[in-house]
Amino acid sequence: MSEDRRLEVLRAIVEDYVQTREPVGSRMLVERHALGVSPATIRNDMAALEEGGYIAQPHTSAGRVPTDKGYRLFVDRLSTVKPLSGPEKRAIQAFIDEAVDLDDVVDRSVRVLAQLTQQVAVVQYPSLRRSAMRHLELVPVGERRLLVVIITDTGRVEQRTLELATAPSEAVVGELRARLNALAVGHRLAELITLLAHLPEVFEPDARPLVTAVTEIVEETLAQESEERIVLAGTANLARGPNDFTRSLGPVLEALEEQVVLLRLLTEMAEDSASVAVRIGHETQHEGLAETSFVTTGYGGDGDAVARIGSIGPTRMDYPATMASVRAVARYLSRVLAG
C-alpha cells in the first residue's frame, strides 16, 4: 500500500468524521474525495489503517472513525494550517485592541478564542518568572508603611505592603526607588534576585534594614507559586457538542475545574518543539480529558513566550481551524502586550 495514499485516505476519514459526526465508509470516501483508486483499493487501505491502529470500527457494519493515534498522525502531517479570513482577523484585532489593562486583555482574548472555535478557551496569565521588570514603585502609605508596586513588561501589577520598624526618610526612599529601577528595568524577574543581592551594601548602615526588607519582599513576590493562574471561557460550548461527547461531559468539566491539571499540561506543552502544540485524547494523561484534545501556543512580547493560550474540545475537532485560531489570537495578544 502506498504510504502517501494511506495518509490521503486517513486525511479524508478525519475530515469527513469531523464534518458529519458519523463513521466513514468506503462508499462515502469514493463519493466525496477524488482519491484516484477503486473502492476495493480504498477498502484495502482502510483495513491496513485499522490494523495499524489509526482507525476503528465502533460497531459491526459501521464505517470507521479515527483513533487518537490516527488524529496524531493527521496533525503531525499537516502541511498547512487553515488561515483565518480577513474579517475574522480584523474582528480579533479590534476586540483585543479595546482592552484597558492586563485583566481586560486576558478576558477579551479568552472570550474571542472561545467564540472562534466554539470550544473551551484557556489563557494562562503571564508568569512573573518569565516577565521582565518595567518599573518598581515605592509609595509611603503611612508613617511606618511602604507600598511596593512591581510592574512587568506584560502589564502585570503586583502590590505588597511592608510594615517598617521605623519611619524611613524621603531621601532614602527616593534613592532606593531610583537604584531599584536602574537595576531592574528590562531584566527578567528571576534575574533580579542576583542583581539585588548586594544592593544593601550601597546604602548607609542605618538604611540597610529598609533596603533588605524591600529586596526580600520583591524576592518573595517573585517566588510565589500563586502567580500561576488561568482563565477559562466557553465551557457551555461543550454542552452544545455531539451527543456521544456530552454523555461523558461530567469528567471533562471536573478536570477543567482543577486548574492544577491545566497548568501541568500548559507547562508540559511549553516544552514542545512545535509552535502550536497539540495533545490528543490519552496524551493528556488525565482520565477526565481522555476524549478531548488540547491545542496551545505561547504568547508574549518580542516573540518570547511568557505564558500560553489554547483551546480544548472533543478529539473530533477541526484541528487546522483550531490551530489557526489559537495562533492568531496569540499573535494579537502578543502585539498588545508588546505595545
Side-chain angles (χ1 to χ4, degrees), residues 23-44:
V24 181
S26 58
R27 180 178 299 177
M28 179 184 291
L29 294 179
V30 171
E31 293 174 352
R32 294 172 59 93
H33 301 274
L35 295 173
V37 293
S38 68
T41 299
I42 291 178
R43 284 194 293 271
N44 289 336

Side-chain angles (χ1 to χ4, degrees), residues 32-292:
R32 294 172 59 93
H33 301 274
L35 295 173
V37 293
S38 68
T41 299
I42 291 178
R43 284 194 293 271
N44 289 336
D45 289 346
M46 292 177 70
L49 286 168
E50 186 172 8
E51 184 177 353
Y54 297 101
I55 59 176
Q57 188 176 32
H59 52 82
T60 306
S61 301
R64 304 301 189 272
V65 300
T67 63
D68 288 359
K69 184 178 179 181
Y71 284 125
R72 168 51 59 195
L73 182 59
F74 172 78
V75 169
D76 288 346
R77 296 301 178 91
L78 279 177
S79 57
T80 58
V81 173
K82 185 188 307 179
L84 298 187
S85 66
E88 285 176 323
K89 293 178 181 178
R90 289 191 291 273
I92 295 171
Q93 182 174 5
F95 188 63
I96 296 180
D97 281 349
E98 292 177 356
V100 297
D101 55 25
L102 178 63
D103 289 338
D104 197 16
V105 169
V106 170
D107 179 67
R108 286 172 179 268
S109 298
V110 76
R111 284 193 287 144
V112 75
L113 182 56
Q115 185 175 359
L116 283 170
T117 62
Q118 288 300 296
Q119 298 170 166
V120 176
V122 180
V123 177
Q124 180 185 22
Y125 260 77
S127 171
L128 284 174
R129 299 180 189 278
R130 294 186 293 272
S131 301
M133 184 79 79
R134 178 176 291 171
H135 185 71
L136 193 147
E137 187 60 57
L138 302 177
V139 183
V141 289
E143 185 177 351
R144 297 183 182 180
R145 300 178 70 194
L146 191 66
L147 181 66
V148 181
V149 184
I150 299 170
I151 305 172
T152 74
D153 61 345
T154 55
R156 282 194 65 161
V157 179
E158 297 289 327
Q159 301 183 23
R160 299 291 184 272
T161 300
L162 186 60
E163 299 286 346
L164 305 172
T166 59
S169 70
E170 291 185 11
V172 170
V173 171
E175 182 183 358
L176 179 54
R177 180 190 299 114
R179 289 186 178 276
L180 282 169
N181 280 290
L183 283 172
V185 172
H187 288 284
R188 288 297 180 100
L189 299 182
E191 303 168 351
L192 294 183
I193 295 176
T194 301
L195 292 173
L196 299 178
H198 302 290
L199 185 60
E201 300 170 8
V202 179
F203 288 80
E204 295 294 328
D206 59 345
R208 289 175 186 172
L210 168 64
V211 179
T212 299
V214 170
T215 56
E216 285 179 351
I217 204 169
V218 170
E219 293 173 8
E220 290 170 5
T221 301
L222 306 186
Q224 284 186 346
E225 295 299 329
S226 60
E227 70 187 36
E228 300 291 354
R229 58 193 180 106
I230 57 178
V231 177
L232 298 178
T235 306
N237 289 332
L238 297 181
R240 291 190 284 268
N243 289 337
D244 60 339
F245 180 74
T246 55
R247 282 196 295 267
S248 59
L249 195 54
V252 176
L253 296 177
E254 289 176 4
L256 293 179
E257 289 178 357
E258 298 179 32
Q259 292 209 357
V260 65
V261 172
L262 299 181
L263 285 169
R264 173 185 61 80
L265 277 168
L266 289 167
T267 300
E268 291 175 356
M269 295 173 80
E271 303 300 322
D272 285 13
S273 58
S275 60
V276 180
V278 182
R279 289 284 192 275
I280 298 169
H282 290 87
E283 293 175 357
T284 61
Q285 298 183 3
H286 191 284
E287 185 177 354
L289 299 176
E291 296 186 24
T292 69

